[in-house]
Amino acid sequence: MSQVSETTWTDAAETGDRVATPAYFVPVGPVEGGYERYLATESTVSVWAHTMQHGAPPSALLARAVERCAPREGMRVTRLTMEILGPIPVAEIDVRAWVERPGKRIELVAAELAALLPDGTRRVVAKASAWRIATTDTASVALTADAPLPPIPPSAQIGWDIPAGWDVGYVRTVDIRALPDSGGARHVWVRSHSAVVDGEPVTPLGTVFAVADLANGIGAQLDPAKYTFLNTDLTVDLFRLPVSEWIGLSVATSIGPDGVGMCSTVLHDEQGPIGRALQILEVRARD
């Protein structure tokens, strides 16, 4: 299984790609309570407000915490759900993880992100739960229910217009290559130019979570100048881990009559589908 290395991208003038960007988080060090502290960089900034993080970087940091929590050979994360409990500030944040339900073949790992308050206390702003399952050899019966995406187009064929005001922070850290829409879904290939934590290679799981939360923006059906549609959560189910730095998103968005939407995504790597993601949206008209 290959790992995605640190950012070493070629010059944008030659390829049309974005250049390397700062890591999403810089480690500060361990602190009391079993937490590790990180400084969020400008690469985490959300399109909704410059003071809050986009959902992708903190989900990737939570996934990293889960992977590093009491790891065991032959077990991997198969599903991770992040619940967003409030705005995640672009500032120093603390993260910790623990085994919630141990097991020989199946175990549940939990993690949380906490913002630091002026009085020195913490407020949990996001939490995650993840199932880890023992792996076995099922290569002879492997199959997929979804069709693969077409190959990644060259940068000259990107063809995806970033909405006005969205080319900031996190969005500037990703390279997006659009494919033609089909079956009511939008299809893109995307890769992140940023490491999750400064100085570390990105794991296959981190590669997925560095971009999965982008699906809400890719599949947007409403004008962001007239509506907000923030997701309250992100669930990713992976029947296999990716083997490439590019992740494909096949995104279909539905909006109900009472201010709730749903974004459903098939996840791919360059060898085919790898899993699915789901986000629930709070849809509101702007004043």
Side-chain angles (χ1 to χ4, degrees):
M1 178 76 62
S2 63
Q3 287 193 339
V4 180
S5 62
E6 300 163 70
T7 52
T8 53
W9 306 104
T10 53
D11 188 83
E14 298 178 2
T15 66
D17 294 345
R18 296 184 186 275
V19 296
T21 50
Y24 297 125
F25 301 98
V26 176
V28 176
V31 291
E32 74 283 353
Y35 288 95
E36 293 281 343
R37 183 162 295 170
Y38 298 87
L39 174 64
T41 72
E42 68 271 20
S43 291
T44 68
V45 171
S46 168
V47 300
W48 301 113
H50 71 278
T51 57
M52 61 185 285
Q53 295 185 40
H54 188 280
S59 72
L61 188 63
L62 284 166
R64 173 184 175 273
V66 166
E67 280 194 296
R68 293 161 65 94
C69 178
R72 288 193 285 152
E73 186 70 27
M75 296 192 76
R76 72 166 179 88
V77 174
T78 57
R79 190 220 68 181
L80 187 148
T81 295
M82 175 180 70
E83 311 283 359
I84 302 173
L85 306 180
I88 303 172
V90 183
E92 287 189 350
I93 56 173
D94 290 351
V95 60
R96 65 172 179 167
W98 62 95
V99 177
E100 184 80 17
R101 183 270 198 192
K104 182 178 180 180
R105 294 185 301 166
I106 302 174
E107 63 185 11
L108 184 67
V109 182
E112 65 182 25
L113 286 179
L116 306 178
L117 301 179
D119 64 1
T121 61
R122 296 183 178 91
R123 176 172 57 87
V124 176
V125 290
K127 62 181 182 179
S129 61
W131 286 109
R132 289 199 297 218
I133 296 178
T135 58
T136 59
D137 185 0
T138 53
S140 63
V141 294
L143 54 86
T144 59
D146 299 292
L149 284 178
I152 303 163
S155 58
Q157 299 178 18
I158 291 177
W160 189 74
D161 294 326
I162 296 175
W166 278 24
D167 192 20
V168 297
Y170 169 76
V171 173
R172 296 185 63 83
T173 73
V174 292
D175 184 5
I176 301 170
R177 310 284 177 88
L179 298 166
D181 297 350
S182 66
R186 291 180 177 169
H187 311 283
V188 301
W189 286 101
V190 60
R191 66 176 174 180
S192 170
H193 291 188
S194 292
V196 178
V197 171
D198 188 45
E200 292 184 6
V202 183
T203 67
L205 185 70
T207 302
V208 174
F209 278 92
V211 300
D213 193 76
L214 188 65
N216 179 24
I218 295 294
Q221 299 295 314
L222 299 172
D223 182 350
K226 298 179 179 179
Y227 291 88
T228 61
F229 38 91
L230 286 77
N231 56 298
T232 61
D233 56 13
L234 170 68
T235 295
V236 171
D237 293 273
L238 296 171
F239 65 87
R240 70 174 176 86
L241 291 172
V243 295
S244 64
E245 65 187 7
W246 286 95
I247 300 297
L249 308 176
S250 296
V251 188
T253 298
S254 301
I255 299 172
D258 59 353
V260 178
M262 181 179 71
C263 184
S264 179
T265 304
V266 179
L267 301 166
H268 306 254
D269 69 1
E270 293 184 73
Q271 293 186 4
I274 60 173
R276 292 179 180 266
L278 189 69
Q279 298 159 293
I280 292 296
L281 317 177
E282 180 205 19
V283 182
R284 291 287 182 269
R286 292 187 182 271
D287 296 332

PDB file of all heavy atoms in Angstrom, residues 50-69:
ATOM      1  N   HIS A  50     -14.051  33.326   7.700  1.00  0.00           N
ATOM      2  CA  HIS A  50     -12.593  33.220   7.776  1.00  0.00           C
ATOM      3  C   HIS A  50     -12.109  32.801   9.161  1.00  0.00           C
ATOM      4  O   HIS A  50     -10.951  32.447   9.340  1.00  0.00           O
ATOM      5  CB  HIS A  50     -11.942  34.551   7.383  1.00  0.00           C
ATOM      6  CG  HIS A  50     -12.112  35.645   8.403  1.00  0.00           C
ATOM      7  ND1 HIS A  50     -13.254  36.424   8.492  1.00  0.00           N
ATOM      8  CD2 HIS A  50     -11.296  36.087   9.385  1.00  0.00           C
ATOM      9  CE1 HIS A  50     -13.128  37.290   9.480  1.00  0.00           C
ATOM     10  NE2 HIS A  50     -11.952  37.114  10.046  1.00  0.00           N
ATOM     11  N   THR A  51     -13.008  32.820  10.165  1.00  0.00           N
ATOM     12  CA  THR A  51     -12.638  32.445  11.525  1.00  0.00           C
ATOM     13  C   THR A  51     -12.893  30.982  11.836  1.00  0.00           C
ATOM     14  O   THR A  51     -12.534  30.510  12.920  1.00  0.00           O
ATOM     15  CB  THR A  51     -13.425  33.296  12.540  1.00  0.00           C
ATOM     16  OG1 THR A  51     -14.831  33.122  12.291  1.00  0.00           O
ATOM     17  CG2 THR A  51     -13.059  34.764  12.418  1.00  0.00           C
ATOM     18  N   MET A  52     -13.525  30.243  10.900  1.00  0.00           N
ATOM     19  CA  MET A  52     -13.841  28.838  11.154  1.00  0.00           C
ATOM     20  C   MET A  52     -13.196  27.932  10.112  1.00  0.00           C
ATOM     21  O   MET A  52     -12.907  28.356   8.994  1.00  0.00           O
ATOM     22  CB  MET A  52     -15.355  28.611  11.172  1.00  0.00           C
ATOM     23  CG  MET A  52     -16.055  28.951   9.875  1.00  0.00           C
ATOM     24  SD  MET A  52     -17.877  28.810   9.975  1.00  0.00           S
ATOM     25  CE  MET A  52     -18.091  27.026   9.954  1.00  0.00           C
ATOM     26  N   GLN A  53     -12.968  26.687  10.507  1.00  0.00           N
ATOM     27  CA  GLN A  53     -12.346  25.732   9.619  1.00  0.00           C
ATOM     28  C   GLN A  53     -13.358  25.069   8.690  1.00  0.00           C
ATOM     29  O   GLN A  53     -14.511  24.836   9.070  1.00  0.00           O
ATOM     30  CB  GLN A  53     -11.639  24.630  10.422  1.00  0.00           C
ATOM     31  CG  GLN A  53     -10.465  25.100  11.254  1.00  0.00           C
ATOM     32  CD  GLN A  53      -9.747  23.949  11.906  1.00  0.00           C
ATOM     33  OE1 GLN A  53      -9.551  22.896  11.302  1.00  0.00           O
ATOM     34  NE2 GLN A  53      -9.342  24.132  13.158  1.00  0.00           N
ATOM     35  N   HIS A  54     -12.908  24.765   7.490  1.00  0.00           N
ATOM     36  CA  HIS A  54     -13.651  23.868   6.609  1.00  0.00           C
ATOM     37  C   HIS A  54     -13.706  22.501   7.284  1.00  0.00           C
ATOM     38  O   HIS A  54     -12.835  22.142   8.081  1.00  0.00           O
ATOM     39  CB  HIS A  54     -12.923  23.777   5.263  1.00  0.00           C
ATOM     40  CG  HIS A  54     -13.664  23.049   4.195  1.00  0.00           C
ATOM     41  ND1 HIS A  54     -13.683  21.668   4.127  1.00  0.00           N
ATOM     42  CD2 HIS A  54     -14.410  23.477   3.154  1.00  0.00           C
ATOM     43  CE1 HIS A  54     -14.408  21.294   3.094  1.00  0.00           C
ATOM     44  NE2 HIS A  54     -14.860  22.370   2.480  1.00  0.00           N
ATOM     45  N   GLY A  55     -14.712  21.703   6.958  1.00  0.00           N
ATOM     46  CA  GLY A  55     -14.870  20.413   7.627  1.00  0.00           C
ATOM     47  C   GLY A  55     -13.816  19.386   7.302  1.00  0.00           C
ATOM     48  O   GLY A  55     -13.588  18.450   8.090  1.00  0.00           O
ATOM     49  N   ALA A  56     -13.140  19.509   6.155  1.00  0.00           N
ATOM     50  CA  ALA A  56     -12.193  18.467   5.749  1.00  0.00           C
ATOM     51  C   ALA A  56     -10.958  18.381   6.654  1.00  0.00           C
ATOM     52  O   ALA A  56     -10.601  17.287   7.108  1.00  0.00           O
ATOM     53  CB  ALA A  56     -11.791  18.653   4.278  1.00  0.00           C
ATOM     54  N   PRO A  57     -10.239  19.482   6.907  1.00  0.00           N
ATOM     55  CA  PRO A  57      -9.049  19.349   7.753  1.00  0.00           C
ATOM     56  C   PRO A  57      -9.311  18.764   9.140  1.00  0.00           C
ATOM     57  O   PRO A  57      -8.597  17.836   9.564  1.00  0.00           O
ATOM     58  CB  PRO A  57      -8.503  20.785   7.810  1.00  0.00           C
ATOM     59  CG  PRO A  57      -8.940  21.386   6.519  1.00  0.00           C
ATOM     60  CD  PRO A  57     -10.326  20.843   6.318  1.00  0.00           C
ATOM     61  N   PRO A  58     -10.330  19.235   9.890  1.00  0.00           N
ATOM     62  CA  PRO A  58     -10.545  18.608  11.206  1.00  0.00           C
ATOM     63  C   PRO A  58     -10.988  17.155  11.113  1.00  0.00           C
ATOM     64  O   PRO A  58     -10.650  16.360  12.001  1.00  0.00           O
ATOM     65  CB  PRO A  58     -11.623  19.484  11.858  1.00  0.00           C
ATOM     66  CG  PRO A  58     -12.250  20.250  10.753  1.00  0.00           C
ATOM     67  CD  PRO A  58     -11.202  20.420   9.715  1.00  0.00           C
ATOM     68  N   SER A  59     -11.724  16.781  10.068  1.00  0.00           N
ATOM     69  CA  SER A  59     -12.084  15.365   9.924  1.00  0.00           C
ATOM     70  C   SER A  59     -10.840  14.534   9.675  1.00  0.00           C
ATOM     71  O   SER A  59     -10.719  13.407  10.175  1.00  0.00           O
ATOM     72  CB  SER A  59     -13.112  15.168   8.807  1.00  0.00           C
ATOM     73  OG  SER A  59     -12.545  15.346   7.520  1.00  0.00           O
ATOM     74  N   ALA A  60      -9.890  15.071   8.901  1.00  0.00           N
ATOM     75  CA  ALA A  60      -8.635  14.364   8.657  1.00  0.00           C
ATOM     76  C   ALA A  60      -7.802  14.254   9.932  1.00  0.00           C
ATOM     77  O   ALA A  60      -7.138  13.236  10.183  1.00  0.00           O
ATOM     78  CB  ALA A  60      -7.841  15.055   7.558  1.00  0.00           C
ATOM     79  N   LEU A  61      -7.837  15.306  10.774  1.00  0.00           N
ATOM     80  CA  LEU A  61      -7.088  15.255  12.034  1.00  0.00           C
ATOM     81  C   LEU A  61      -7.708  14.237  12.987  1.00  0.00           C
ATOM     82  O   LEU A  61      -6.990  13.509  13.688  1.00  0.00           O
ATOM     83  CB  LEU A  61      -7.073  16.649  12.672  1.00  0.00           C
ATOM     84  CG  LEU A  61      -6.164  16.812  13.892  1.00  0.00           C
ATOM     85  CD1 LEU A  61      -4.701  16.582  13.529  1.00  0.00           C
ATOM     86  CD2 LEU A  61      -6.340  18.203  14.506  1.00  0.00           C
ATOM     87  N   LEU A  62      -9.042  14.162  13.022  1.00  0.00           N
ATOM     88  CA  LEU A  62      -9.703  13.146  13.839  1.00  0.00           C
ATOM     89  C   LEU A  62      -9.384  11.744  13.329  1.00  0.00           C
ATOM     90  O   LEU A  62      -9.142  10.825  14.119  1.00  0.00           O
ATOM     91  CB  LEU A  62     -11.206  13.384  13.839  1.00  0.00           C
ATOM     92  CG  LEU A  62     -11.708  14.538  14.713  1.00  0.00           C
ATOM     93  CD1 LEU A  62     -13.148  14.884  14.362  1.00  0.00           C
ATOM     94  CD2 LEU A  62     -11.595  14.197  16.195  1.00  0.00           C
ATOM     95  N   ALA A  63      -9.398  11.559  12.003  1.00  0.00           N
ATOM     96  CA  ALA A  63      -9.062  10.252  11.438  1.00  0.00           C
ATOM     97  C   ALA A  63      -7.635   9.860  11.801  1.00  0.00           C
ATOM     98  O   ALA A  63      -7.351   8.690  12.114  1.00  0.00           O
ATOM     99  CB  ALA A  63      -9.247  10.270   9.921  1.00  0.00           C
ATOM    100  N   ARG A  64      -6.729  10.823  11.765  1.00  0.00           N
ATOM    101  CA  ARG A  64      -5.339  10.555  12.160  1.00  0.00           C
ATOM    102  C   ARG A  64      -5.266  10.129  13.617  1.00  0.00           C
ATOM    103  O   ARG A  64      -4.537   9.190  13.972  1.00  0.00           O
ATOM    104  CB  ARG A  64      -4.500  11.812  11.922  1.00  0.00           C
ATOM    105  CG  ARG A  64      -3.065  11.738  12.455  1.00  0.00           C
ATOM    106  CD  ARG A  64      -2.370  13.087  12.238  1.00  0.00           C
ATOM    107  NE  ARG A  64      -1.041  13.119  12.842  1.00  0.00           N
ATOM    108  CZ  ARG A  64      -0.787  13.447  14.096  1.00  0.00           C
ATOM    109  NH1 ARG A  64      -1.818  13.748  14.912  1.00  0.00           N
ATOM    110  NH2 ARG A  64       0.462  13.473  14.552  1.00  0.00           N
ATOM    111  N   ALA A  65      -6.011  10.816  14.495  1.00  0.00           N
ATOM    112  CA  ALA A  65      -6.012  10.463  15.920  1.00  0.00           C
ATOM    113  C   ALA A  65      -6.531   9.051  16.128  1.00  0.00           C
ATOM    114  O   ALA A  65      -5.999   8.282  16.940  1.00  0.00           O
ATOM    115  CB  ALA A  65      -6.844  11.470  16.701  1.00  0.00           C
ATOM    116  N   VAL A  66      -7.576   8.684  15.387  1.00  0.00           N
ATOM    117  CA  VAL A  66      -8.134   7.332  15.486  1.00  0.00           C
ATOM    118  C   VAL A  66      -7.112   6.292  15.034  1.00  0.00           C
ATOM    119  O   VAL A  66      -6.921   5.259  15.697  1.00  0.00           O
ATOM    120  CB  VAL A  66      -9.424   7.233  14.640  1.00  0.00           C
ATOM    121  CG1 VAL A  66      -9.832   5.774  14.450  1.00  0.00           C
ATOM    122  CG2 VAL A  66     -10.550   8.011  15.304  1.00  0.00           C
ATOM    123  N   GLU A  67      -6.446   6.554  13.912  1.00  0.00           N
ATOM    124  CA  GLU A  67      -5.437   5.609  13.413  1.00  0.00           C
ATOM    125  C   GLU A  67      -4.303   5.408  14.409  1.00  0.00           C
ATOM    126  O   GLU A  67      -3.761   4.305  14.531  1.00  0.00           O
ATOM    127  CB  GLU A  67      -4.856   6.111  12.092  1.00  0.00           C
ATOM    128  CG  GLU A  67      -5.703   5.858  10.878  1.00  0.00           C
ATOM    129  CD  GLU A  67      -4.927   6.062   9.603  1.00  0.00           C
ATOM    130  OE1 GLU A  67      -4.496   7.205   9.335  1.00  0.00           O
ATOM    131  OE2 GLU A  67      -4.750   5.083   8.852  1.00  0.00           O
ATOM    132  N   ARG A  68      -3.929   6.462  15.118  1.00  0.00           N
ATOM    133  CA  ARG A  68      -2.787   6.393  16.034  1.00  0.00           C
ATOM    134  C   ARG A  68      -3.160   5.900  17.417  1.00  0.00           C
ATOM    135  O   ARG A  68      -2.291   5.700  18.269  1.00  0.00           O
ATOM    136  CB  ARG A  68      -2.151   7.790  16.139  1.00  0.00           C
ATOM    137  CG  ARG A  68      -1.503   8.246  14.839  1.00  0.00           C
ATOM    138  CD  ARG A  68      -1.299   9.755  14.826  1.00  0.00           C
ATOM    139  NE  ARG A  68      -0.356  10.201  15.828  1.00  0.00           N
ATOM    140  CZ  ARG A  68       0.946  10.386  15.612  1.00  0.00           C
ATOM    141  NH1 ARG A  68       1.466  10.144  14.422  1.00  0.00           N
ATOM    142  NH2 ARG A  68       1.742  10.827  16.569  1.00  0.00           N
ATOM    143  N   CYS A  69      -4.439   5.671  17.676  1.00  0.00           N
ATOM    144  CA  CYS A  69      -4.905   5.231  18.992  1.00  0.00           C
ATOM    145  C   CYS A  69      -4.819   3.708  19.101  1.00  0.00           C
ATOM    146  O   CYS A  69      -5.588   2.990  18.463  1.00  0.00           O
ATOM    147  CB  CYS A  69      -6.340   5.698  19.221  1.00  0.00           C
ATOM    148  SG  CYS A  69      -7.048   5.165  20.784  1.00  0.00           S
TER     149      CYS A  69
END
